[in-house]
């Protein structure tokens, strides 16, 4: 996508990708809660955080959600 503005017609095409990224982050966070090894727990936590950050960078914070006002 680069630095060009997101066209409204492109937004629906991004929704499945955004949902998949958020789902993966949630799965990792759940796995983290069940992990018994501290190193594995930290690895899962870090990976989930990187996916969430990437999602927010690429699609904006809370893309497709209600206006906070």
């Amino acid at each position: 996508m680069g630095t060009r503005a997101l066209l409204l017609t492109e937004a629906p095409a991004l929704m499945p990708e955004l949902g998949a990224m958020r789902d993966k982050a949630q799965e990792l966070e759940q796995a983290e809660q069940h992990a018994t090894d501290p190193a594995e727990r930290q690895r899962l936590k870090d990976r989930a955080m990187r996916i969430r950050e990437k999602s927010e960078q690429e699609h904006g914070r809370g893309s497709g959600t209600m206006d906070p006002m």
Side-chain angles (χ1 to χ4, degrees):
M1 237 182 287
T3 58
R4 69 181 177 85
L6 177 67
L7 299 174
L8 290 178
T9 57
E10 294 174 314
L14 296 175
M15 298 311 281
E17 180 184 341
L18 178 59
M21 290 176 81
R22 288 182 176 165
D23 288 348
K24 183 63 178 177
Q26 187 172 13
E27 287 175 22
L28 291 168
E29 289 166 347
Q30 289 174 353
E32 173 204 346
Q33 293 174 2
H34 298 291
T36 55
D37 179 38
E40 177 70 2
R41 180 175 287 163
Q42 187 63 46
R43 186 187 72 78
L44 292 167
K45 181 179 181 179
D46 292 345
R47 190 166 169 214
M49 186 173 63
R50 282 193 306 271
I51 290 172
R52 287 200 185 276
E53 287 173 351
K54 182 178 179 182
S55 172
E56 289 176 4
Q57 286 176 346
E58 290 181 4
H59 306 291
R61 186 172 191 82
S63 269
T65 61
M66 291 178 21
D67 184 18
M69 294 268 172

